[in-house]
């Protein structure tokens, strides 16, 4: 393993948080979500919303759980999906679960409404701004990966990144916000050059190195999105033919989330 890969792995392992049983409140819901315990995550988020009815982070987190459950059901998060670019070019929509689709959009709407109310009272509130960043990112993922509405997804991705940049100007330690910048830069950098020209003309960011750098910040220091950033770094390592780094990252995810069959299956592919 190269020295750069060793440093990345060491930083990722050092950043692994405590187990779910020791993490209270909304953090527990994210741990449950990454363990694919979606019903438990919904209950945790519902309890958070009951206790904090004005916090937009509650409904946007619940929306994330609905989206991740759909990703799991539709086999979207497997590395093979991300490694084959044709999956991002087809116009054939996937078939979402109707109830999950309705709940996802309902919770996104609630989050945006609550965030707007908080920001009307307290402009620049970091928690509310991040809720909007996350809502836009989730909408972008849904549009691109399920609905195959790529232009809408690109615009939501750009808006999420611009809002994240604004948030980080005032609160640079908000490590989860770096994911929006990292995802846009990395994923769009993989497009063919003519497509990247169009994307840049549209105001999208397409810098691969910058994208990986920002994903690494969330992977090291993120509170809610750290495991997802680590998964994306594993996918990036696979695309760069660095199976050893991908294997090491996935091993850490399997250890941390033993109920997530996705991580175990992806790790088995590399053995």
């Amino acid at each position: 393993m190269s020295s750069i890969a060793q440093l990345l792995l060491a930083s990722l392992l050092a950043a692994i948080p405590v187990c779910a049983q020791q993490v209270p409140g909304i953090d527990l819901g994210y741990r449950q979500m990454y363990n694919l315990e979606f019903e438990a995550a919904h209950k945790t988020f519902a309890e958070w919303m009951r206790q904090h009815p004005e916090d937009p982070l509650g409904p946007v987190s619940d929306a994330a759980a609905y989206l991740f459950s759909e990703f799991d059901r539709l086999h979207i998060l497997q590395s093979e999906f991300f490694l084959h670019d044709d999956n991002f070019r087809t116009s054939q929509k996937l078939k979402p679960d109707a109830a999950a689709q309705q709940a996802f959009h309902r919770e996104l709407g609630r989050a945006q409404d609550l965030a707007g109310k908080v920001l009307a009272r307290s402009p620049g509130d970091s928690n509310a701004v991040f809720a909007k960043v996350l809502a836009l990112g989730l909408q972008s993922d849904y549009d691109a990966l399920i609905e195959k509405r790529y232009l809408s997804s690109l615009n939501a991705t750009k808006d999420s990144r611009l809002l994240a940049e604004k948030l980080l100007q005032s609160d640079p330690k908000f490590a989860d916000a770096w994911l929006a910048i990292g995802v846009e830069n990395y994923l769009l950098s993989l497009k063919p050059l003519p497509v990247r020209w169009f994307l840049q003309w549209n105001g999208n960011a397409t810098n691969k190195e910058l994208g990986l750098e920002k994903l690494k910040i969330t992977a090291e220091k993120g509170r809610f999105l750290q495991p997802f950033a680590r998964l994306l770094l594993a996918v990036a390592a696979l695309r760069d033919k660095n199976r050893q780094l991908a294997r090491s990252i996935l091993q850490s995810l399997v250890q941390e989330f033993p109920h997530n069959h996705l991580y175990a299956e992806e790790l088995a592919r590399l053995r």
Side-chain angles (χ1 to χ4, degrees):
M1 186 185 297
S2 70
S3 59
I4 294 177
Q6 289 174 328
L7 286 172
L8 174 58
L9 175 60
S11 64
L12 290 176
L13 292 175
I16 293 176
V18 295
C19 66
Q21 288 80 358
Q22 297 173 313
V23 182
I26 199 166
D27 297 78
L28 173 59
Y30 278 90
R31 313 303 298 167
Q32 292 165 328
M33 183 181 77
Y34 291 122
N35 249 327
L36 305 186
E37 298 166 338
F38 299 115
E39 288 303 316
H42 287 310
K43 290 179 181 178
T44 299
F45 292 140
E47 179 60 20
W48 179 268
M49 288 186 279
R50 186 187 69 80
Q51 296 181 12
H52 306 83
E54 296 184 353
D55 183 4
L57 198 56
V60 79
S61 300
D62 205 30
Y66 281 112
L67 184 63
F68 271 67
S69 67
E70 282 294 88
F71 282 175
D72 180 54
R73 185 181 68 83
L74 297 168
H75 307 292
I76 287 175
L77 287 178
Q78 276 78 352
S79 66
E80 287 298 308
F81 188 96
F82 287 97
L83 292 175
H84 291 85
D85 292 337
D86 288 344
N87 289 312
F88 297 91
R89 295 174 184 153
T90 178
S91 60
Q92 183 177 356
K93 297 180 180 180
L94 301 181
K95 188 174 181 180
D97 176 83
Q101 181 185 48
Q102 183 180 20
F104 171 73
H105 290 297
R106 180 192 68 229
E107 295 305 297
L108 278 192
R110 289 179 61 190
Q112 292 280 22
D113 181 61
L114 287 173
K117 291 178 179 178
V118 172
L119 292 171
R121 298 192 304 268
S122 179
D125 181 281
S126 293
N127 187 68
V129 175
F130 175 68
K132 292 176 72 69
V133 169
L134 184 53
L136 286 165
L138 295 173
Q139 184 66 64
S140 172
D141 290 343
Y142 192 94
D143 288 348
L145 299 177
I146 296 179
E147 292 287 344
K148 309 301 181 182
R149 297 171 56 224
Y150 296 118
L151 184 57
S152 174
S153 173
L154 287 172
N155 289 333
T157 297
K158 178 179 67 177
D159 292 344
S160 180
R161 186 256 305 166
L162 290 171
L163 197 56
E165 290 175 340
K166 180 179 178 181
L167 169 58
L168 288 163
Q169 286 178 355
S170 60
D171 192 352
K173 294 183 179 180
F174 213 114
D176 282 316
W178 290 109
L179 185 83
I181 300 171
V183 164
E184 181 181 34
N185 275 281
Y186 176 71
L187 291 182
L188 298 189
S189 75
L190 304 177
K191 302 295 183 182
L193 182 59
V195 177
R196 294 202 304 273
W197 286 341
F198 167 77
L199 293 171
Q200 291 164 5
W201 174 83
N202 189 52
N204 292 101
T206 63
N207 186 316
K208 178 180 178 180
E209 290 72 24
L210 180 66
L212 290 173
E213 174 189 328
K214 303 314 180 188
L215 286 175
K216 186 181 174 215
I217 295 175
T218 302
E220 292 176 359
K221 302 176 181 178
R223 177 181 174 187
F224 305 121
L225 305 180
Q226 184 196 80
F228 187 54
R230 286 156 62 195
L231 177 62
L232 292 177
L233 286 174
V235 172
L238 285 172
R239 294 191 72 107
D240 289 340
K241 312 300 182 184
N242 191 339
R243 291 169 63 88
Q244 189 172 359
L245 176 58
R247 185 184 301 114
S248 298
I249 296 173
L250 286 167
Q251 283 174 337
S252 72
L253 288 169
V254 168
Q255 181 179 6
E256 187 180 353
F257 302 102
H259 300 296
N260 189 319
H261 64 84
L262 167 66
Y263 299 146
E265 290 167 4
E266 292 305 312
L267 180 60
R269 292 173 186 260
L270 299 176
R271 286 175 174 165

